[in-house]
Amino acid sequence: NAGVTQTPKFRVLKTGQSMTLLCAQDMNHEYMYWYRQDPGMGLRLIHYSVGEGTTAKGEVPDGYNVSRLKKQNFLLGLESAAPSQTSVYFCASSRLGRGAEQFFGPGTRLTVL
Amino acid sequence: RKEVEQDPGPFNVPEGATVAFNCTYSNSASQSFFWYRQDCRKEPKLLMSVYSSGNEDGRFTAQLNRASQYISLLIRDSKLSDSATYLCVVNVNLRDNNDMRFGAGTRLTVKP
């Protein structure tokens, strides 16, 4: 099992460009999450999904959109990238149930110039 | 006040030492608590859940103090391989168990 994978691993964008980050999991997990991690701030939840076709806002959703068309995939979109979105993005998944362990992907390092 | 706060460290300890970290949380009704470990430039991984009665896993002990709203992690007999950043995670949204908050992490370096 590959677990949680993320594509791409690195990306450099110019301000105003758009891009989509792809997250895939092969553990048949219901829940999927997108986080960003910035120095000194820990991980912050951007959006999450509790099942195929559903999404919800997290702590810092502005400037991002998500889609979960298939259970195993969770896409994070940046429509018009800004330098403030320079960060490391982690995707995670977990099974149903309160307090379930979250399994993380290896992260995507995004720089917006 | 931040929802989840940790001392960023760094904690520099010799091999074999005992070290403890605390993490405070703001919502007194929070129900789920965890410690995750994150190695440099890697993804976080679950170290252990924190139960009301406290729990132990080998050299690691986690405890919850609801009255003072903090959780703790104790590492005994530190190993070089324990060097990492330790993240405290708390469920702060009681209407949504998936809405977790991560602390900024406490960095630990274990030296020979």
Side-chain angles (χ1 to χ4, degrees):
Chain A
N1 287 349
V4 180
T5 57
Q6 292 183 231
T7 309
K9 289 187 169 52
F10 304 93
R11 185 72 186 269
V12 178
L13 290 179
K14 294 181 180 179
T15 297
Q17 288 185 315
S18 63
M19 78 164 294
T20 300
L21 282 66
L22 171 64
C23 176
Q25 53 96 3
D26 61 3
M27 296 175 281
N28 201 34
H29 284 167
E30 290 294 329
Y31 298 161
M32 296 187 74
Y33 315 81
W34 275 107
Y35 293 91
R36 61 177 289 175
Q37 185 173 35
D38 303 293
M41 300 195 70
L43 280 84
R44 291 183 290 169
L45 183 63
I46 304 171
H47 287 279
Y48 63 97
S49 168
V50 299
E52 183 178 320
T54 72
T55 62
K57 294 180 179 180
E59 187 182 1
V60 289
D62 294 342
Y64 305 94
N65 56 74
V66 288
S67 64
R68 184 117 180 253
L69 299 180
K70 293 182 179 181
K71 185 177 182 179
Q72 64 268 32
N73 295 337
F74 195 28
L75 278 63
L76 177 71
L78 285 73
E79 290 187 348
S80 179
S84 61
Q85 293 178 305
T86 293
S87 188
V88 179
Y89 292 85
F90 286 102
C91 175
S93 71
S94 70
R95 57 174 173 77
L96 280 170
R98 184 163 68 90
E101 177 181 359
Q102 293 190 22
F103 292 84
F104 285 82
T108 295
R109 294 185 175 276
L110 175 65
T111 301
V112 183
L113 302 176
Chain B
R1 180 183 175 185
K2 289 184 180 179
E3 291 172 302
V4 179
E5 287 197 84
Q6 295 182 250
D7 180 346
F11 285 66
N12 297 310
V13 303
E15 270 187 293
T18 295
V19 62
F21 312 133
N22 283 344
C23 166
T24 58
Y25 59 94
S26 61
N27 191 334
S28 61
S30 291
Q31 295 292 326
S32 301
F33 310 90
F34 309 88
W35 285 102
Y36 277 71
R37 170 194 168 126
Q38 186 174 25
D39 293 302
C40 188
R41 301 178 77 85
K42 297 287 189 180
E43 71 272 22
K45 293 183 179 179
L46 179 67
L47 178 65
M48 58 198 307
S49 301
V50 186
Y51 304 122
S52 297
S53 55
N55 46 304
E56 186 174 311
D57 183 3
R59 298 181 293 108
F60 299 84
T61 300
Q63 292 195 312
L64 168 64
N65 185 317
R66 285 196 181 276
S68 300
Q69 291 180 218
Y70 73 86
I71 64 173
S72 63
L73 177 68
L74 179 78
I75 305 175
R76 290 181 297 278
D77 189 22
S78 299
K79 310 291 184 190
L80 296 177
S81 58
D82 294 334
S83 297
T85 297
Y86 291 84
L87 306 174
C88 166
V89 185
V90 180
N91 161 237
V92 299
N93 184 344
L94 304 183
R95 292 174 296 177
D96 187 343
N97 291 323
N98 300 290
D99 193 357
M100 309 296 285
R101 293 287 183 268
F102 283 72
T106 297
R107 191 152 62 93
L108 171 67
T109 300
V110 181
K111 300 187 174 181

